[in-house]
Amino acid sequence: MIPLADDPDDLVARLRNGITTFLVMDAQEEKESKSPPMYTYAEALDRLMKFTLYSEYPLTEAAAKTLLVRGTAVAGPGKVIFTRDHRLNTANYVKYTPEGLLAILKNLRCHTLMIRAKEAPPYLLANTSYQATRKRAIELYNENCASYKMVEVPGNHFVHLNQPENVAPHICEFLAPYLD
């Protein structure tokens, strides 16, 4: 619905940890071989499926195959390498404070479609601070955007991958007026 916001008191610690993590990863990359690990397609698929199998949001096999199309490159006969930047797995340096996030939303003027998966993380539903910021954010979307529409679709965080048929019609409807 809206990006998570940090408590202002946690801002410095998050920034410090993010920078340290990036520096450690860069140093580690320098030490490691320039050749990333190679896998057969089946091994790469298995690795990706296992990565999300025990998470709150598992991927379907079809969704994992979609990710492999854009997330791997041929590295030799029958072998692929992952092309993702592992630094993306680190936490963001900084998240906005609720006030900073709302200040940004006050200046939105674009057409906006918000697609929300119904199976939201339980920690968001129970967080009263998040709920208050979310309520105000929705008000700002409605007040400032050229147009604003929010739809809820069945699915979890990966609904766009696991059940694209739940998301695609809304995107097509949103973009249709602009496709002449």
Side-chain angles (χ1 to χ4, degrees):
M1 174 44 85
I2 61 169
L4 294 175
D6 264 346
D7 181 328
D9 295 334
D10 295 337
L11 193 60
V12 173
R14 179 177 287 281
L15 183 59
R16 180 183 304 115
N17 290 339
I19 291 171
T20 301
T21 301
F22 265 60
L23 291 174
V24 167
M25 289 183 84
D26 281 345
Q28 187 176 0
E29 283 180 7
E30 284 293 320
K31 290 179 186 176
E32 292 177 358
S33 164
K34 297 295 180 190
S35 300
M38 292 190 284
Y39 305 94
T40 66
Y41 180 83
E43 290 169 338
L45 178 62
D46 184 59
R47 190 171 171 85
L48 185 56
M49 292 293 297
K50 283 182 180 172
F51 178 73
T52 65
L53 179 63
Y54 301 106
S55 78
E56 191 174 355
Y57 309 111
L59 288 170
T60 63
E61 185 174 334
K65 287 179 177 179
T66 298
L67 286 178
L68 286 181
V69 169
R70 72 173 192 221
T72 59
V74 175
K79 296 288 186 174
V80 297
I81 58 170
F82 285 102
T83 58
R84 67 182 178 263
D85 184 345
H86 293 282
R87 291 175 293 188
L88 296 175
N89 293 334
T90 63
N92 291 336
Y93 286 161
V94 178
K95 291 180 184 163
Y96 296 104
T97 63
E99 298 78 17
L101 177 63
L102 295 175
I104 291 169
L105 297 182
K106 286 178 185 176
N107 290 287
L108 283 184
R109 301 293 182 261
C110 59
H111 297 278
T112 303
L113 170 65
M114 185 79 61
I115 299 176
R116 182 182 181 280
K118 286 185 180 177
E119 286 83 49
Y123 62 86
L124 293 181
L125 299 175
N127 184 322
T128 54
S129 173
Y130 174 80
Q131 292 300 327
T133 303
R134 178 179 180 260
K135 181 181 180 207
R136 181 64 183 131
I138 291 170
E139 291 170 359
L140 291 171
Y141 285 128
N142 280 307
E143 291 169 12
N144 298 316
C145 291
S147 67
Y148 170 70
K149 180 178 181 182
M150 184 186 66
V151 294
E152 287 190 330
V153 297
N156 65 27
H157 176 76
F158 288 120
V159 66
H160 60 293
L161 292 168
N162 289 336
Q163 299 138 322
E165 67 277 5
N166 293 353
V167 176
H170 300 289
I171 295 171
C172 290
E173 179 186 326
F174 177 75
L175 293 176
Y178 312 105
L179 300 175
D180 286 333

